[in-house]
Amino acid sequence: MIGLDHLWMLALALAIDGLVGDPDVIWRKFPHPVALIGRLIDWLDRMVNRSRAKPIVRRIAGAFSLLVIVAIAAAVGFALEYGLDRIPLGWIGTVLIAAVLLAGRSLYDHVAAVAAAFETGGLAAAQASVSRIVGRDPAALDEAGVCRAAIESTAENFADGVVAPALWFALLGLPGLAAYKAINTADSMIGHLSPRHEDFGWAAARIDDLVNLPASRLAGLLVALAAPLVRGSIGGAFRVMRSDAPKHRSPNAGWPEAATAAALGLALAGPRRYRGALGHDPYINATGRRQATPEDVRHALRLYLGGWTLLLILAAATGGLVLALR
């Protein structure tokens, strides 16, 4: 199976993920692949991350653990694709596995639940819903804070939950996709600046930044192109993205977040509270509104669907062109 075949398979995987998502009926009976990766990361964290070790020792231990995790994930991905490539219609299995490791429908459903919670249970219900997708303290968020958190999560996770895994699958197939998911999961579990993980998770955080770099720019481009769906300006989204993306604390999240902020006319990022500590980050699109509403969350979802659709069209068009030129 040559690498270019992954383009049309990516289009199918995106479509399947968008239609089916992650059915609970399956994952209540079987562990999700990402959950299995998480178990390995947790086990290595408990076994290797020694609190009394020197910082440099903990960094080396964290880098070695990450290498083990990524190597196992890539090897499993290679074995699956190699085996499937040698059976009739094995490409169907490759597409289904790729669909499982994409998070497009899951992200949409989680963010839509936040918007719906305002209508069914008010602020308290929305705080509970947003706590499932953000790391900040939900109890400290008012309505505007919950809405901004949901919108920012939509933008950031479009990049690392959809575009990045899609890109690595297109480039390297299941081995690349599995390796990316291992890196991204490690970053989410041990890549934060807590006392326990500041050194042990250093490698996970740095490598995650690196592998997300191309996808974050592509995600920002797709969001900017979808801006007219929410009466935003493509040119304005590009301008804000170029000027404000570098202001974000993350070298990657700022790109889709800046495009989203400009398209919706909102000021995003800014001071936010994580684990009890207030960060003093600058605002992205500082001239925009700071009082986001549940309606803005719905507009962010429309923008997200627009970017997702453009990604699907891009994969289908390039994959179809490859098939036509054979």
Side-chain angles (χ1 to χ4, degrees):
M1 182 183 300
I2 63 173
L4 292 176
D5 280 334
H6 293 122
L7 291 167
W8 61 262
M9 287 193 289
L10 172 60
L12 291 176
L14 285 166
I16 292 170
D17 174 53
L19 292 172
V20 180
D22 291 319
D24 289 339
V25 67
I26 295 176
W27 305 124
R28 280 197 298 264
K29 298 180 179 179
F30 305 98
H32 194 282
V34 173
L36 293 176
I37 294 172
R39 291 179 190 177
L40 176 59
I41 295 168
D42 181 65
W43 182 79
L44 285 168
D45 185 20
R46 288 183 284 107
M47 293 296 104
V48 181
N49 187 10
R50 302 300 181 184
S51 59
R52 296 182 180 180
K54 294 180 180 180
I56 185 62
V57 173
R58 298 178 78 179
R59 285 198 177 192
I60 293 172
F64 175 76
S65 298
L66 181 66
L67 179 63
V68 170
I69 294 161
V70 173
I72 291 174
V76 171
F78 176 81
L80 287 170
E81 185 158 0
Y82 182 85
L84 289 167
D85 193 30
R86 278 150 182 78
I87 63 175
L89 300 179
W91 62 267
I92 296 176
T94 299
V95 169
L96 291 176
I97 293 170
V100 166
L101 294 177
L102 294 168
R105 176 62 179 269
S106 176
L107 173 60
Y108 180 90
D109 289 344
H110 278 89
V111 177
V114 177
F118 278 110
E119 300 175 356
T120 59
L123 178 60
Q127 288 171 331
S129 291
V130 84
S131 69
R132 301 185 182 99
I133 57 174
V134 299
R136 65 196 76 174
D137 180 11
L141 300 175
D142 57 10
E143 178 179 298
V146 169
C147 293
R148 286 172 52 204
I151 293 167
E152 290 162 6
S153 181
T154 304
E156 181 175 355
N157 285 294
F158 176 51
D160 60 20
V162 180
V163 178
L167 181 60
W168 286 108
F169 175 71
L171 292 174
L172 299 175
L174 289 183
L177 174 55
Y180 171 78
K181 294 299 289 188
I183 293 168
N184 191 242
T185 304
D187 177 61
S188 67
M189 293 182 65
I190 63 173
H192 44 82
L193 295 178
S194 65
R196 177 172 178 80
H197 295 126
E198 182 175 5
D199 294 304
F200 185 75
W202 179 86
R206 300 289 79 77
I207 297 300
D208 184 73
D209 286 343
L210 179 64
V211 297
N212 274 300
L213 190 148
S216 64
R217 277 66 175 171
L218 176 58
L221 168 65
L222 295 172
V223 171
L225 291 175
L229 293 175
V230 291
R231 299 182 180 179
S233 162
I234 294 176
F238 273 108
R239 284 193 297 274
V240 173
M241 189 165 56
R242 288 197 302 269
S243 64
D244 287 11
K247 298 177 183 178
H248 201 281
R249 66 162 66 184
S250 165
N252 294 316
W255 295 84
E257 198 167 307
T260 297
L264 299 177
L266 292 172
L268 297 178
R272 293 171 289 185
R273 188 174 297 278
Y274 289 92
R275 302 176 184 87
L278 180 64
H280 297 283
D281 299 330
Y283 281 99
I284 301 297
N285 193 36
T287 59
R289 289 181 294 112
R290 298 183 184 180
Q291 296 300 309
T293 67
E295 188 66 18
D296 289 316
V297 177
R298 297 185 187 89
H299 288 164
L301 285 171
R302 186 184 305 168
L303 190 64
Y304 165 73
L305 285 178
W308 180 90
T309 302
L310 288 172
L311 179 64
L312 174 60
I313 293 171
L314 178 63
T318 53
L321 180 61
V322 168
L323 292 176
L325 293 176
R326 284 184 172 177

